[in-house]
Each structure stands twice: as C-alpha cells, then as structure tokens.
Amino acid sequence: MGPVLFVPRPMFLWTSFFLLAEGLLYLLYVKWGKFRHRDRMLALHSWTGAEQVLDVGCGRGLLLAGAAKKIRDLKGSGHAFGIDIWSSVDMGANSEAATLRNLEIEGVRQLCSLESVAAQEMSFADESFDVIVSNLCLHNIYDRPTRELALRNLVRVLKPGGVALISDYKKTGEYAKAFEGMGLAVSKERGGFFSTFPPLTIVVARKPL
Ligand SMILES: C[S@@+](CC[C@H](N)C(=O)[O-])C[C@H]1O[C@@H](n2cnc3c(N)ncnc32)[C@H](O)[C@@H]1O
C-alpha cells in the first residue's frame, strides 16, 4: 500500500470551521448562555413574589429554580410547578430525581412541585397560573394537532392578566399565531447572539383581563 496524501481543500476547511464554531457556541450556551437566557426570560415579568408559576418541560429545573428564587428573594407566597415527561431525546440522564436534587442544591425545593405529565395532557384547573415559562420543550411534540392541544391547554391554565414566556429555536411563529388566535397579546424577543445556540426566540403572550 502506498502513502496516503491528505490535501485540505477550501470546502473541507470551511466545513470544519462551521462545525467547530457550532460546537463552541453550543458549549457556550450549556456552560453560560442558558443562565443568561433564563435571566432574560424571567426579567420579562415584574415579579411580586405571589406568583403561581408553571414551567412546561422543566427538565433539570433551569427556569423552575430561577422562578422559585424570585419568589424566595421577594419572601412571597408563590409556588413554582414543573411538568415534564423526562424524555432523554435532547437531555441526557433526564429524570425527576435529578431535578429534585438540583432544586435541593439551589435551596428552593420547598417552593417547587414536580408532576410527570405531558403538556398536552396536563389537568391543572383552569386559570391556575400567573406566569407560564417553557424553554426548548414544545418543538419536541412532533405533530401539529398535538402541539396545538398543548398550546390550548397552556392558555386554559393561564390566569387572565397572566403571561406565557415560551422560548424555542423553531416553531415560534406557529406558537405566536396560535396564541393570537386565542385572543392573547403577543410579541417576540430574540435571545442573545452569543448566549443562545441554537438561536432562541421568546414568544411573550399576555392573556387579557
Ligand atoms: C431540551 S430539554 C429543556 C429542559 C429545560 N426547559 C431547560 O431549558 O433546560 C426539553 C424538555 O422537554 C421535555 N418534554 C418533551 N416533550 C414534552 C411534553 N410533551 N410535555 C412536557 N415535557 C416535554 C423533555 O422531557 C425535556 O426535559
């Protein structure tokens, strides 16, 4: 067998550059950006500490713990609920136990409750929550009718005057249109350029009083 000649062509270099840049941006999101994004999302609401909060697809508790800390710092009577189906499709070693451990570490375990239920199947009473948050969850519902069911359910459990802050990297146009169709006032916020990868958009939907 003769020697193998390795000739780096421009095409190969560009592909390597983009793959490396994507890897670095994702690492930045995981290690730093997600906390910045969480703070940015939570800053879209003026907290009193009395809020009943729902985190849809809470995963390991990023937003759930953040919301509970707002309630704790304001010495309020609020409570934060997290729902999830603990899928490991885009979150490895995902489990209720891991989330409970994180809530303990963050010192907010007493202010939080977890329930294992899908967004489209949650059975909380109508108009239960002042604030609903969700990050990188709803795109995991692959068929449109089921996603719409989840969005309708989400609006059902939101109190009049309440706000839903729904962040995702795709389908946010669809969420915004569905919320508008249900009579909510909707705007969109872009996630930070360096702090979110894939780039995230936050749909801000307010339910009229
Ligand atoms: C990428 S993780 C994001 C977790 C967390 N929100 C965060 O930002 O770190 C997506 C989460 O959504 C959950 N999930 C997927 N489909 C769901 C559904 N239909 N209802 C509730 N949770 C769901 C997954 O189990 C997973 O924990």
Side-chain angles (χ1 to χ4, degrees):
M1 209 162 53
V4 176
L5 192 62
F6 180 72
V7 185
R9 299 199 178 275
M11 180 71 175
F12 171 80
L13 292 177
W14 276 116
T15 308
S16 311
F17 171 78
F18 280 117
L19 286 176
L20 197 67
E22 285 187 354
L24 285 175
L25 282 170
Y26 184 65
L27 199 65
L28 203 62
Y29 174 72
V30 171
K31 293 288 173 201
W32 165 79
K34 66 181 181 184
F35 300 106
R36 204 178 150 87
H37 185 63
R38 181 254 315 261
D39 293 346
R40 184 167 181 176
M41 282 181 73
L42 295 178
L44 292 167
H45 171 68
S46 301
W47 294 85
T48 65
E51 288 87 354
Q52 296 296 306
V53 183
L54 175 65
D55 183 356
V56 177
C58 62
R60 301 249 180 79
L62 176 71
L63 282 157
L64 185 68
K69 281 180 185 174
K70 294 272 181 201
I71 292 167
R72 181 193 63 192
D73 294 349
L74 288 159
K75 300 186 179 18
S77 57
H79 197 83
F81 295 79
I83 62 166
D84 207 296
I85 55 169
W86 318 112
S87 148
S88 45
V89 169
D90 53 7
M91 180 165 267
N94 199 5
S95 72
E96 184 171 359
T99 308
L100 285 172
R101 227 174 9 256
N102 281 348
L103 297 174
E104 285 287 356
I105 292 167
E106 297 283 345
V108 290
R109 172 70 192 89
Q110 301 308 317
L111 290 174
C112 299
S113 302
L114 295 179
E115 196 175 316
S116 302
V117 68
Q120 61 273 24
E121 289 164 6
M122 60 183 165
S123 58
F124 295 108
D126 294 357
E127 303 180 357
S128 295
F129 298 102
D130 303 282
V131 180
I132 299 180
V133 292
S134 183
N135 186 42
L136 284 169
C137 168
L138 295 178
H139 73 270
N140 286 302
I141 305 174
Y142 301 125
D143 69 295
R144 194 170 181 153
T146 312
R147 269 198 311 278
E148 279 175 8
L149 182 61
L151 292 170
R152 273 203 302 281
N153 220 357
L154 210 141
V155 172
R156 178 183 70 73
V157 300
L158 185 62
K159 288 183 189 174
V163 66
L165 305 166
I166 311 298
S167 158
D168 219 328
Y169 79 101
K170 61 179 181 180
K171 310 270 182 223
T172 51
E174 181 188 302
Y175 310 157
K177 220 169 153 190
F179 286 139
E180 273 166 359
M182 288 182 264
L184 278 70
V186 179
S187 60
K188 277 184 173 186
E189 301 278 330
R190 281 213 177 284
F193 184 75
F194 288 110
S195 54
T196 66
F197 190 83
L200 297 175
T201 299
I202 309 163
V203 177
V204 183
R206 297 182 192 278
K207 195 173 189 178
L209 280 167

